């Protein structure tokens, strides 16, 4: 029912908008083509960096490390999400084991920095939500939200938190990892297209 309501509202707005306004709205987006025929319509302001074949980072806001040698999964302060393919999924659990939705994506053997503050460490991650989520027509992803603490390195005192959201498509071998609760990402994925 909610989807029909949203579609009706969007259709109604499109009728009320001038051709110039419709053209301007369309010019504010771009298509991100991914593996297995998956395409996302994303805001033009989001910048896409293909780090390697199976590691794509979509920067959605401030990112001081964008041209830095530490521009990777474990850097801090870069508002972004990751689109990962088979080789990244293959090492996606602690101690570089293959990723499954049973534990958070974390390709390392040590304690990593907090996503928003390099002076803090990522502490315990607890499952906060799980289920299936739509990623375009006919495709459901395993969805997980992991609540993580950011702690002081020496004392382990909790100084803040973040949520790591994951959408995993095992047949297509695609994993989305978002540590910034990126506004609009759920909707972008829901309305993805497959070819």
């Amino acid at each position: 029912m909610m989807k029909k309501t949203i579609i009706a509202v969007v259709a109604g707005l499109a009728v009320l908008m001038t051709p110039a306004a419709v053209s301007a709205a369309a010019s504010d987006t771009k298509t991100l083509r991914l593996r297995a025929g998956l395409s996302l319509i994303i805001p033009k302001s989001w910048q896409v960096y293909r780090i390697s074949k199976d590691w794509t980072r979509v920067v959605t806001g401030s990112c001081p490390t964008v041209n830095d040698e530490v521009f990777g999964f474990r850097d801090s302060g870069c508002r972004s999400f990751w689109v990962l393919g088979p080789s990244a999924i293959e090492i996606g659990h602690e101690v570089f084991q293959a990723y499954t939705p049973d534990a958070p994506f974390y390709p390392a053997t040590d304690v990593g920095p907090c996503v928003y503050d390099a002076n803090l460490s990522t502490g315990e991650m607890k499952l906060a939500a799980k289920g299936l989520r739509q990623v375009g027509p006919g495709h459901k992803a395993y969805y997980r939200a992991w609540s993580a603490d950011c702690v002081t390195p020496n004392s382990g005192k909790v100084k803040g938190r973040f949520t790591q959201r994951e959408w995993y498509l095992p047949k297509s071998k695609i994993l989305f990892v978002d540590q910034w609760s990126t506004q609009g990402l759920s909707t972008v994925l829901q309305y993805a297209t497959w070819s």
Side-chain angles (χ1 to χ4, degrees), residues 93-162:
H93 275 317
E94 205 164 359
V95 195
F96 304 108
Q97 299 296 309
Y99 172 84
T100 69
D102 299 329
F105 181 83
Y106 187 73
T109 59
D110 59 353
V111 176
C114 174
V115 298
Y116 61 82
D117 186 341
N119 296 314
L120 299 174
S121 299
T122 297
E124 186 177 4
M125 297 180 87
K126 296 179 184 175
L127 184 62
K130 75 177 198 174
L132 296 174
R133 296 289 191 276
Q134 198 72 36
V135 177
H139 292 79
K140 296 252 187 202
Y142 290 102
Y143 173 79
R144 301 292 186 265
W146 301 93
S147 178
D149 294 333
C150 286
V151 299
T152 56
N154 295 330
S155 68
K157 183 176 180 181
V158 176
K159 292 291 191 174
R161 291 180 175 75
F162 69 93

Side-chain angles (χ1 to χ4, degrees), residues 13-14 16-28:
L13 288 174
L16 296 174
M17 292 174 73
T18 66
V22 171
S23 177
S27 69
D28 289 342

